[in-house]
């Protein structure tokens, strides 16, 4: 005999159980405070790499800005929502921007190169106009009320600063510096996050 259940079962997760992300850019690493790169308007997206107890959870998943996303408790969203496991240790790496960032994940035999099951290696080319940013975070999963993963983004590329001192004491003299160039600078590199 066959029997059917007429009731529908709905499985729901605590909203605090969904893994969410939030960001902050460390402006002290910038040589110029660009008003277009404030914490409210930093970049459109970033890639996240995540590991739980050494296993890959996120492998370069695109995280993008959303006006409202109540499920993840922040304005950032991604496809394929992942959930916290109580008591598990998580490690995350992020690279921004994901779109047109001039970087790619280093792969060996088609697989992402991961060091110590918590680090991701990327290669990048400096185009002279894109700020390449990275962030890392570690967090333990809770049974409920998990905080979003807070990424404090820093710059992968080193800042170069030029200072010019005018020791000419004439008040009516103007000195203009033009065409400052850096020769033989590295155009590409590899970073382990």
């Amino acid at each position: 005999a066959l029997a059917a259940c007429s009731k529908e079962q709905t499985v729901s997760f605590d909203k605090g159980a969904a893994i969410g992300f939030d960001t902050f850019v460390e402006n002290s690493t910038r040589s110029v405070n660009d008003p277009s790169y404030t914490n409210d308007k930093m970049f459109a997206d970033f890639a996240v790499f995540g590991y739980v107890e050494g296993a890959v959870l996120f492998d370069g998943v695109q995280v993008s800005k959303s006006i409202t996303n109540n499920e993840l408790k922040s304005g950032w969203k991604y496809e394929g929502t992942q959930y916290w496991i109580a008591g598990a240790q998580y490690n995350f790496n992020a690279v921004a921007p994901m779109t047109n960032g001039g970087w790619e994940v280093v792969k060996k035999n088609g697989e992402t190169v991961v060091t110590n099951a918590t680090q991701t290696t990327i290669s990048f080319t400096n185009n002279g106009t894109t700020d390449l940013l990275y962030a890392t975070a570690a967090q333990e999963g809770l049974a409920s009320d998990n905080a979003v993963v807070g990424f404090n983004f820093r710059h992968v590329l080193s800042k170069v600063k030029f200072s010019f001192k005018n020791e000419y004491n004439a008040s009516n003299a103007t000195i203009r510096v033009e065409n400052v160039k850096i020769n033989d600078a590295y155009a590409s590199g590899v970073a382990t996050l």
Side-chain angles (χ1 to χ4, degrees):
L2 296 174
C5 180
S6 62
K7 293 176 93 179
E8 279 188 26
Q9 251 186 330
T10 304
V11 176
S12 64
F13 286 95
D14 174 15
K15 289 183 181 179
I19 297 175
F21 303 101
D22 205 358
T23 61
F24 176 79
V25 173
E26 180 65 47
N27 282 330
S28 65
T29 62
R30 292 184 57 79
S31 58
V32 177
N33 285 329
D34 180 350
S36 68
Y37 252 63
T38 64
N39 288 323
D40 295 331
K41 184 182 172 187
M42 298 175 292
F43 38 80
D45 61 5
F46 61 90
V48 67
F49 301 87
Y51 311 94
V52 56
E53 303 290 333
V56 176
L57 183 65
F58 294 99
D59 189 15
V61 171
Q62 181 179 23
V63 181
S64 56
K65 196 67 173 169
S66 169
I67 294 172
T68 59
N69 190 347
N70 295 328
E71 181 183 1
L72 298 178
K73 301 196 305 189
S74 77
W76 293 98
K77 65 177 183 171
Y78 60 92
E79 295 292 325
T81 303
Q82 297 289 338
Y83 295 90
W84 295 101
I85 299 169
Q89 184 60 43
Y90 292 79
N91 292 287
F92 300 95
N93 301 314
V95 183
M98 181 170 181
T99 307
N100 301 320
W103 63 272
E104 64 184 7
V105 175
V106 175
K107 294 187 181 265
K108 184 175 183 179
N109 299 325
E111 298 288 325
T112 300
V113 174
V114 178
T115 308
N116 297 330
T118 60
Q119 299 174 323
T120 306
T121 302
I122 64 167
S123 63
F124 57 92
T125 301
N126 180 7
N127 63 13
T129 60
T130 303
D131 276 351
L132 183 58
L133 306 168
Y134 80 98
T136 61
Q139 200 162 315
E140 183 176 335
L142 303 175
S144 63
D145 296 325
N146 287 277
V148 295
V149 177
F151 284 128
N152 184 7
F153 280 92
R154 298 183 182 275
H155 291 80
V156 174
L157 305 174
S158 296
K159 175 176 78 173
V160 177
K161 178 181 178 183
F162 294 96
S163 296
F164 300 94
K165 185 175 180 181
N166 179 3
E167 293 186 359
Y168 191 67
N169 291 326
S171 60
N172 60 351
T174 301
I175 297 175
R176 186 169 56 193
V177 178
E178 294 179 342
N179 298 323
V180 176
K181 295 180 182 178
I182 300 174
N183 294 320
D184 299 325
Y186 290 107
S188 61
V190 174
T192 299
L193 310 176

